[in-house]
Amino acid sequence: MDEIKEKLFYEQKNGYDLLDAQERLTCEEYCRGYMDYLNVARTEREAVKEAIRLAEAVGFAPYDPSNGPIQAGEKVYYSNRGKGLMLAVGGRQPMKNGCVITAAHVDAPRLDLKQRPLYEDGELAYLRTHYYGGIKKYQWTAIPMELHGTIAMKDGSTVDVAIGREPGDPQFVITDLLPHLAKDQMSKTMTKGVEGEKLCLLAGSVPYAGDGSDRVKLAVLSLLNDRYGITEADFISAELEAVPAFDVRELGLDRSLIGGYGQDDRVCAYAELAAILSLEEPERTAVCILADKEEIGSYGVTGMTSHAFEYFIQCLCGGGCTVEDCFSRSFCISADVTAAYDPLYADVSEKSNSARINYGVGLCKFTGSGGKSGASDASAEVVAYLRRLCDENGVTWQMCELGKVDQGGGGTVALYMAGRNIDTIDAGVPVLSMHAPFETTSKLDCYMTYKCMKAAYNA
Ligand code: MN
Ligand code: MN
């Protein structure tokens, strides 16, 4: 009976039972590269900047739209306003035969400074924020924070800001109430316990010498003016993001896990990037997308719904075919993270259809919520294609969905890619504590996601 069971049942194996010693070393090496990237890429702009640096180091050049159709083996990138990035490696086949696309996002939940952020209260200076993406607000208090971003000046110049990353830099914090006085707060629901308007960063406490009001605010502005040459009005045209200041670290006694901020979705962004940077002359043109604005709906000029994507593909086609022709024969992996099964919160998952840590890249036929609402729902044929591709290339993979039926849900860029008449499927790294200031992934799953992207490009 064991024999027939083995033949007919679908049993999954822990990825470590399939990984030999040599490949384990390759996995470690890959994860070191990823951890370095994650440490540097604290915002979408920094994620793009670092990706460009890595791409240029292996011969990618800025794309010139006047170049005509992309040539086999040609390596190009196109920065979408410094906040999104598209890279391509020309294939042996023409663009009319379609391309292989992987699409991840490099924005992550965070606290954006408001356009008039600075104020003083109780002789302390604060920076008001407006949260970006889906967060549990209570997780963002009483942890060290950094401030990163860009200030666009009226004269057209820009000033890049990064405070808190370098050793010895000051950092920021959002204070929380001591338990001794939190009787009222603790009886509230977790959504109400910390309010959005209370997510204000402590920014200083020393008053400017002299008399008058708002002396601490003045002293803070004076420091900013010395360092960056800005005045209070310049916050109006700034994008400043408060992000958790935690270093990326190995977790667990066996060092098998990775802890860090922004792994949704920079973990998949890096997997795609590492895969496309390893290509020389694929069969079909490879396209790697690092999109912005996914966490707030993929809208806007740098989001995945933007025609910046059509523009780039049209340029690569260079008159050889229409974008529509190319799309109709293309294949896309929407590379985004999924929820890992958490034994501490087992009741939100249906175990046999949940992604498990160390079981490899998670393939999702559909996302969405309720009755698959908002899902792109990949065709069975597309699922079969990726399943075969993974098996043929030694990729440990698992089929998963996000949580129990009617427990909640979420989405990715998949529906926007599929809406363009591109066969699309979701695949990505399972994450514990997704959207928290410090997210957890497994090295094996990160590495298998990279292998999956590479297999797709090399098909
Ligand atoms: Mn995501
Ligand atoms: Mn997300």
Side-chain angles (χ1 to χ4, degrees), residues 228-455:
Y228 299 108
I230 62 162
T231 67
E232 188 177 15
D234 296 320
F235 280 120
I236 288 171
S237 50
E239 286 177 344
L240 295 170
E241 308 175 7
V243 298
F246 306 121
D247 284 336
V248 179
R249 296 297 291 256
E250 293 177 312
L251 302 179
L253 287 171
D254 56 11
R255 301 172 179 267
S256 62
L257 304 158
I258 295 172
Y261 162 69
Q263 299 206 67
D264 173 8
D265 183 35
R266 291 170 198 146
V267 65
C268 296
Y270 184 78
E272 286 181 7
L273 184 68
I276 199 164
L277 298 194
S278 76
L279 299 179
E280 286 307 332
E281 205 180 285
E283 193 54 33
R284 293 203 288 169
T285 295
V287 176
C288 166
I289 301 170
L290 311 184
D292 183 27
K293 297 281 176 278
E294 193 278 340
E295 295 295 357
I296 56 169
S298 294
Y299 308 117
V301 74
T302 53
M304 203 59 248
T305 55
S306 163
H307 275 258
F309 175 55
E310 274 78 3
Y311 174 70
F312 181 59
I313 297 295
Q314 186 177 51
C315 290
L316 297 183
C317 293
C321 66
T322 64
V323 178
E324 285 77 11
D325 268 338
C326 175
F327 281 170
S328 70
R329 297 181 190 95
S330 293
F331 168 68
C332 175
I333 295 182
S334 159
D336 206 342
V337 298
T338 185
Y341 172 76
D342 187 338
L344 296 179
Y345 298 94
D347 54 332
V348 302
S349 299
E350 185 264 292
K351 209 172 170 183
S352 58
N353 282 287
S354 293
R356 292 167 68 184
I357 290 288
N358 289 335
Y359 277 70
V361 56
L363 315 188
C364 300
K365 187 177 184 298
F366 55 87
T367 59
S369 59
K372 300 193 180 184
S373 175
S376 134
D377 206 0
S379 300
E381 291 86 343
V382 176
V383 181
Y385 171 70
L386 190 56
R387 192 183 143 197
R388 187 181 77 230
L389 210 60
C390 286
D391 282 343
E392 286 173 357
N393 289 279
V395 179
T396 304
W397 62 275
Q398 52 186 329
M399 204 65 206
C400 56
E401 64 175 282
L402 190 83
K404 263 186 189 168
V405 176
D406 287 336
Q407 186 68 44
T412 66
V413 301
L415 74 160
Y416 305 116
M417 304 309 284
R420 288 170 160 121
N421 194 25
I422 302 171
D423 273 322
T424 303
I425 180 168
D426 278 294
V429 178
V431 176
L432 290 165
S433 332
M434 194 198 294
H435 282 207
F438 195 72
E439 300 172 312
T440 297
T441 57
S442 113
K443 285 181 178 173
L444 185 138
D445 300 333
C446 295
Y447 171 65
M448 288 301 165
T449 300
Y450 156 71
K451 274 185 81 172
C452 174
M453 301 301 146
K454 210 169 151 176

